[in-house]
Amino acid sequence: MKVRDLDHELLPRVTQEDSSRQSAIVALRRLLNRHVRPHNIDHYEREGEPAFVARHGRKPQSPADVETALFASASYRRWSAVNRAVQEIIWLSVGEPIYRDQPRMRAAARRLADAPDRKGALHLDPDVIQPPGMADNDVHLQPGGYTMDRDADDIIAGSLYEAGGNVYSFGQGAGKADSKAGAVQRFLAEHHPDVRPARILEIGCSAGAASAAWAACWPEAEVHAIDVGAGMLRYAHARAEALGVPVIFHQMNGAHLTFPDGSFDLVISHNLLHEIGRGERKAMFREAARVARPGGLVIHQDIALRAQPSLVHAVEKRWDTRFNGEVYWTDYTDDDLVADMRAAGFDDGSLSEHDVPAIQGWGAWYILCGVRR
Amino acid sequence: MSNVDALMDVIASARGARPASLSCPEAEDGMTISIALLVELAVANDRIDRLERMVAELRGMTPEALRETAPTPAEAEERRDANEALIVRVLHILFDPRKRIDGPAERAGAPPA
């Protein structure tokens, strides 16, 4: 199932002007990412590092030094200012039609969620434990954040996530056919071709695009998906119903799962690792291992950022930490995730790391895979 | 809901601080506004393109032929005047005879620009 280039009832109705605005932002971001950002390392070498040396009498050594040196370059500062401005405009461009179309979208979500022939389910828990850095932070600058929940029909968080995510990803160079779930499904076909899961759990499902894709990939499987955001989950559930795929959504924290031991054949997360802190991630790894059955697979997929050729490249990629609400970006890029999986109960022979190419477009995805003994 | 109300709701829901990239806040705000104008120019160009295609169809010509229809000398002069006026409107600060005084830099002791 496609996850980005599809039409469904929950998407906001956009005017030609809305579409033009979003297309212009995609074009602008593609230009920045392809033709401007790649020169940041040159700016560092030609402007930033010499300025740092002139001021401090030594070369930059620590990540903090490198960041200081980057900002000593006027060219880098200019890129940073433009990149931040464009990131903010993304949300205006998708938020305007979403807020304008709220009455219709909310009614559609309610009708789909309550339909007698609905295929999935939604279980909300207002007492869910919110992970630090999530409820009080606009991740990716999404206005209101991922856990926005203003009333019993609020679907804004999910709406913004899907629409904004598409504009962002296309601007990053993702093709319309790209799919994180598709990349993991291709990985499974290549490395674990005999896997036929009867029960699948997705942790941190956000707006449910991958959850629906998993349900479509294995229609005979029972797919459960969890997230901490009620607004995300209402949207994800209605979206799955609109697409006609059965997914059971739960408001639940991945570090505190309520499922019994060994209850899933496949446990997945998509782009969750860089959104949660070190302690939450280690607890989530333990919980994912606990609910996977012996012989089951645990796969955590994220952005392929961890292997960088130099400290300067690594620090340049950390721009999102300060400027894009990605407060745990560095924890994700720098920590020994294999060691954390080992501590969660996986042995060395069962663990593997991979950078796999995107299904379509530029870039790659990181996959961390463990087989439960 | 109107577009203005929708935009204001989106803007009002944003949380957190805005970390600076440039050392001059005014310059950063100006750059942010310029980026937004760039996007709006693309939106306006798309509207013009749609109109051109409709007019071309009504006139039985291709959009390319319509776009390459040269103005008469009189029309060209009219457009030059209009574009000059547009430039003056946009860049009026460059022609303003008044001298800048009492900016924060000057108040801090720097010589006037």
Side-chain angles (χ1 to χ4, degrees):
Chain A
M1 170 184 275
K2 292 191 297 183
V3 298
R4 299 193 186 282
D5 185 25
L6 44 70
D7 193 19
H8 59 77
E9 213 176 335
L10 269 289
L11 290 172
R13 287 178 180 153
V14 294
T15 64
Q16 283 299 318
E17 285 197 25
D18 296 326
S19 296
S20 289
R21 202 164 280 120
Q22 292 169 12
S23 296
I25 292 166
V26 168
L28 179 51
R29 292 197 70 253
R30 289 175 83 97
L31 278 168
L32 285 170
N33 283 317
R34 183 166 256 183
H35 297 292
V36 182
R37 187 167 192 174
H39 295 292
N40 282 345
I41 303 300
D42 293 339
H43 299 326
Y44 173 86
E45 290 169 352
R46 291 181 188 173
E47 302 170 25
E49 188 180 74
F52 185 95
V53 170
R55 179 160 189 172
H56 298 278
R58 61 176 176 83
K59 285 195 162 191
Q61 291 164 338
S62 67
D65 286 350
V66 172
E67 187 177 16
T68 301
L70 278 166
F71 276 95
S73 159
S75 305
Y76 180 79
R77 293 198 299 273
R78 185 179 59 209
W79 165 81
S80 176
V82 172
N83 214 42
R84 167 81 190 202
V86 178
Q87 184 68 19
E88 290 176 358
I89 294 177
I90 287 176
W91 298 112
L92 279 179
S93 76
V94 299
E96 182 181 344
I98 284 171
Y99 274 76
R100 197 178 57 217
D101 200 20
Q102 272 304 283
R104 184 199 63 79
M105 293 169 68
R106 287 164 66 101
R110 170 60 68 185
R111 180 174 45 72
L112 287 160
D114 292 344
D117 59 345
R118 61 186 177 274
K119 295 175 180 293
L122 172 64
H123 304 290
L124 295 180
D125 175 11
D127 298 323
V128 68
I129 300 168
Q130 292 290 346
M134 190 65 70
D136 55 353
N137 177 40
D138 284 5
V139 180
H140 245 295
L141 308 191
Q142 177 172 318
Y146 288 178
T147 59
M148 180 193 255
D149 180 25
R150 301 180 302 181
D151 59 59
D153 285 316
D154 193 352
I155 55 168
I156 291 274
S159 310
L160 286 170
Y161 187 92
E162 176 162 36
N166 281 341
V167 174
Y168 176 85
S169 299
F170 295 149
Q172 288 292 103
K176 288 194 170 182
D178 193 34
S179 157
K180 296 187 281 285
V184 175
Q185 286 159 8
R186 183 185 57 196
F187 168 82
L188 284 174
E190 291 170 358
H191 295 266
H192 301 276
D194 297 330
V195 165
R196 293 286 180 278
R199 283 172 57 86
I200 300 172
L201 171 64
E202 185 193 358
I203 301 175
C205 66
S206 59
S211 328
W214 284 106
C217 177
W218 276 306
E220 70 283 6
E222 186 174 296
V223 178
H224 294 255
I226 69 158
D227 200 277
V228 292
M232 285 282 190
L233 290 163
R234 286 187 202 100
Y235 183 87
H237 176 222
R239 181 185 185 277
E241 297 297 335
L243 295 172
V245 291
V247 180
I248 303 162
F249 292 94
H250 311 257
Q251 189 172 18
M252 200 184 294
N253 183 324
H256 307 275
L257 298 177
T258 59
F259 300 111
D261 294 1
S263 49
F264 292 98
D265 305 289
L266 177 60
V267 180
I268 312 157
S269 75
H270 294 288
N271 282 24
L272 173 65
L273 302 183
H274 74 266
E275 306 292 18
I276 54 177
R278 190 167 287 136
E280 291 287 312
R281 187 186 64 236
K282 289 179 179 180
M284 186 274 284
F285 277 4
R286 286 194 297 273
E287 282 292 85
R290 180 182 66 76
V291 301
R293 69 161 173 79
L297 285 171
V298 175
I299 295 179
H300 299 294
Q301 170 271 315
D302 213 291
I303 307 164
L305 275 178
R306 288 167 48 77
Q308 295 295 331
S310 75
L311 176 63
V312 180
H313 288 80
V315 173
E316 197 277 336
K317 294 291 183 198
R318 292 178 190 172
W319 179 88
D320 293 74
T321 309
R322 184 169 159 206
F323 287 92
N324 199 19
E326 295 285 9
V327 294
Y328 297 120
W329 197 265
T330 309
D331 286 1
Y332 163 65
T333 57
D334 292 8
D335 283 5
D336 185 346
L337 300 181
V338 171
D340 289 350
M341 284 286 273
R342 209 180 288 124
F346 293 93
D347 57 62
D348 277 337
S350 73
L351 290 169
S352 59
E353 286 182 293
H354 312 260
D355 277 352
V356 302
I359 296 291
Q360 188 191 48
W362 319 337
W365 298 112
Y366 169 76
I367 288 178
L368 175 58
C369 178
V371 183
R372 195 82 178 100
R373 300 295 192 197
Chain B
M1 177 181 276
S2 72
N3 287 337
V4 170
D5 288 342
L7 284 164
M8 287 301 184
D9 279 356
V10 181
I11 292 166
S13 64
R15 304 171 303 169
R18 295 186 72 249
S21 296
L22 307 184
S23 52
C24 174
E26 295 92 336
E28 188 145 3
D29 287 353
M31 182 174 269
T32 302
I33 292 167
S34 300
I35 297 291
L37 285 172
L38 171 65
V39 170
E40 293 310 305
L41 177 63
V43 173
N45 281 345
D46 280 356
R47 286 186 73 162
I48 292 167
D49 180 80
R50 286 197 295 276
L51 287 170
E52 285 175 343
R53 289 176 191 281
M54 288 175 191
V55 172
E57 189 177 0
L58 287 170
R59 297 192 62 176
M61 60 198 299
T62 65
E64 291 75 21
L66 183 134
R67 288 176 194 133
E68 290 306 313
T69 303
T72 64
E75 288 167 345
E77 192 170 336
E78 196 178 308
R79 286 309 308 154
R80 267 196 302 275
D81 288 347
N83 282 337
E84 277 188 25
L86 169 70
I87 290 165
V88 171
R89 283 185 211 106
V90 174
L91 300 182
H92 68 91
I93 190 65
L94 301 185
F95 312 114
D96 195 310
R98 291 167 292 186
K99 190 174 181 66
R100 172 193 162 101
I101 57 167
D102 288 344
E106 290 83 354
R107 284 199 294 275

